Amino acid sequence: AQSVTQPDIHITVSEGASLELRCNYSYGATPYLFWYVQSPGQGLQLLLKYFSGDTLVQGIKGFEAEFKRSQSSFNLRKPSVHWSDAAEYFCAVGAPIYSSASKIIFGSGTRLSIRP
Amino acid sequence: GAGVSQSPSNKVTEKGKDVELRCDPISGHTALYWYRQSLGQGLEFLIYFQGNSAPDKSGLPSDRFSAERTGGSVSTLTIQRTQQEDSAVYLCASSPWGQPNQETQYFGPGTRLLVL
């Protein structure tokens, strides 16, 4: 069965430091891949998504993610974090072939805290 | 433009009571989704609407949960005979074309339900 794993429940980084949030998926073929962010008191917002093509995807707020087929991973990165990046981050996967039951599956999330 | 709205933002109820949660999607969006987010958990898919029909209701946890969508717009999630384990944040999302595996989903702020 398809699944998505975010191994880190909580990460703390210093402001200005680099960030990498891990996401691994289990699928028979390359799925559609997403990263969403949930800031305190706000709804989830899409950061970026990958369907095909260039394996390095640029998103909003200076985030990027790299798809690595050999590792079944889609890790989220940012070169220098800001205090406003403190939030919950969710990786999600969607089936590679559309059907009426092709919902996306969310990981359990990684909570990011920023150290001043 | 207007985003996804949900009401009420907070709901406190007593065990055994029925509750109704409302979602107003982005105007013109074909698909509408309901998720449940429990404390420290990821997003649990509940049900998905394409127009007024629900191709996938596989995530509804029990027959106490039901949902409907009318006019291809507003949706109501009803929980009958609420239990304490129903306490969670209920999130609604919509997307333009009804291809849930690959479209960006636009989320509302959620309804926080507390069952005493």
Side-chain angles (χ1 to χ4, degrees):
Chain A
Q2 55 269 29
S3 66
V4 56
T5 302
Q6 294 181 249
D8 303 306
I9 296 173
H10 184 204
I11 285 181
T12 299
V13 300
S14 298
E15 190 168 16
S18 64
L19 170 71
E20 182 168 27
L21 302 182
R22 295 183 290 165
C23 173
N24 293 94
Y25 65 89
S26 174
Y27 240 99
T30 300
Y32 294 97
L33 295 158
F34 307 82
W35 275 101
Y36 282 85
V37 60
Q38 185 178 36
S39 299
Q42 298 186 26
L44 275 81
Q45 179 184 22
L46 181 75
L47 283 175
L48 47 78
K49 58 186 176 183
Y50 172 78
F51 292 166
S52 64
D54 191 346
T55 56
L56 186 63
V57 182
Q58 301 298 319
I60 63 171
K61 304 185 180 187
F63 284 91
E64 65 179 26
E66 185 172 14
F67 168 63
K68 292 187 177 180
R69 185 190 308 274
S70 61
Q71 298 178 18
S72 297
S73 69
F74 188 56
N75 293 351
L76 183 70
R77 303 196 296 242
K78 186 169 185 178
S80 175
V81 297
H82 186 261
W83 64 267
S84 61
D85 293 325
E88 188 94 19
Y89 291 81
F90 294 93
C91 182
V93 297
I97 299 173
Y98 169 72
S99 77
S100 62
S102 296
K103 58 184 176 287
I104 65 173
I105 298 172
F106 284 85
S108 55
T110 297
R111 183 161 64 92
L112 174 65
S113 298
I114 305 298
R115 191 184 301 117
Chain B
V4 178
S5 61
Q6 295 185 245
S7 61
S9 54
N10 291 280
K11 177 72 177 178
V12 180
T13 190
E14 295 179 347
K15 177 182 173 181
K17 301 282 189 183
D18 298 351
V19 296
E20 283 190 353
L21 311 181
R22 178 187 168 104
C23 173
D24 282 89
I26 293 173
S27 178
H29 276 196
T30 299
L32 185 147
Y33 314 83
W34 283 100
Y35 296 90
R36 180 168 70 177
Q37 185 177 25
S38 302
L39 189 62
Q41 303 294 314
L43 275 70
E44 176 190 4
F45 169 83
L46 298 178
I47 188 170
Y48 145 61
F49 286 92
Q50 177 106 353
N52 292 334
S53 63
D56 189 350
K57 54 180 79 171
S58 62
L60 294 177
S62 74
D63 58 9
R64 295 187 296 104
F65 287 73
S66 63
E68 65 174 11
R69 188 180 185 194
T70 55
S73 180
V74 172
S75 176
T76 303
L77 177 69
T78 301
I79 308 174
Q80 295 179 311
R81 306 181 302 282
T82 52
Q83 304 293 313
Q84 289 181 330
E85 59 263 30
D86 299 334
S87 297
V89 176
Y90 289 82
L91 296 171
C92 175
S94 68
S95 67
W97 306 115
Q99 293 185 318
N101 62 321
Q102 57 187 272
E103 286 186 300
T104 298
Q105 295 185 19
Y106 298 84
F107 284 81
T111 293
R112 187 176 300 275
L113 174 66
L114 178 60
V115 182
L116 301 176

